[in-house]
Every structure is written in C-alpha cells, then in structure tokens.
Amino acid sequence: MADKNFEITHNEGRKRFEISVDGREAGYASYVPREEKVLDFNHTVVDQAFRGQGLSTPLIRAALDWAREEGASVRTTCSAVEHFVKKNEDYREICVD
C-alpha cells in the first residue's frame, strides 16, 4: 500500500465512509443510526481489485475516530469492524452491545 495514494471521505448522504485509491473508489464502511447517538457499523467492503492491501484498517479507523469525535457509541455488527476493535482495544470504550 505504500505506493498507493488513498483518500477517505465521509459520504453523509449514503451514511458511509469511502476510501479511494489513486482517485478510484476502493471500498466503504457503512453505518445505520440506531438509538440516539448509537451508530451501527454494519458493513465493510473492499473491492476485489484492492483486497490484500490493508485498506480496511485506515478506513475503519477513520470511521470510528469520527464516531468518537461526534460523541456517538458504536455497535459492531460488521465482522471487520468487530475484528478491528478487538485488535485496537482503545476503541472498546465507544462500543455497545
């Protein structure tokens, strides 16, 4: 991934964070607002052409950092997000069941 230029943007209209590599959409992490201030991160997708490049880590990190800044709690029904939180314990404080 070191030779790739990636950008992460928050597409509020589609309720997801999108990652682009060299200007091409490579994946996204979507969420659904639930109870007040609870976001269910329910789906993470990396396009097959970009898999194995470590793109889900910065994508999920950006999404969870945004949730934290917003003062929101996070539900991790997406297995990729759940796995990320297990490996990065400092995000557990914002997670709910």
Side-chain angles (χ1 to χ4, degrees):
M1 191 173 69
D3 61 337
K4 303 263 183 189
N5 293 315
F6 69 87
E7 179 181 6
I8 298 170
T9 56
H10 182 195
N11 184 332
E12 290 186 60
R14 297 183 77 182
K15 295 187 178 17
R16 67 188 203 173
F17 285 79
E18 300 169 342
I19 189 164
S20 299
V21 176
D22 295 328
R24 183 173 161 212
E25 186 176 311
Y28 62 89
S30 62
Y31 62 92
V32 176
R34 297 292 184 196
E35 307 91 65
E36 186 174 333
K37 291 283 193 176
V38 176
L39 303 171
D40 181 356
F41 280 88
N42 63 346
H43 202 55
T44 303
V45 174
V46 174
D47 185 280
Q48 191 167 352
F50 295 96
R51 290 187 187 155
Q53 298 179 33
L55 296 175
S56 64
T57 296
L59 176 62
I60 294 169
R61 184 180 312 279
L64 296 181
D65 285 346
W66 172 81
R68 179 183 280 154
E69 289 169 13
E70 293 293 308
S73 296
V74 170
R75 194 168 280 137
T76 60
T77 57
C78 170
S79 60
V81 176
E82 182 178 23
H83 181 73
F84 176 88
V85 170
K86 284 181 180 176
K87 289 178 68 174
N88 297 275
E89 293 186 16
D90 54 318
Y91 289 97
R92 286 188 185 172
E93 66 189 25
I94 63 169
C95 294
V96 296
D97 292 331

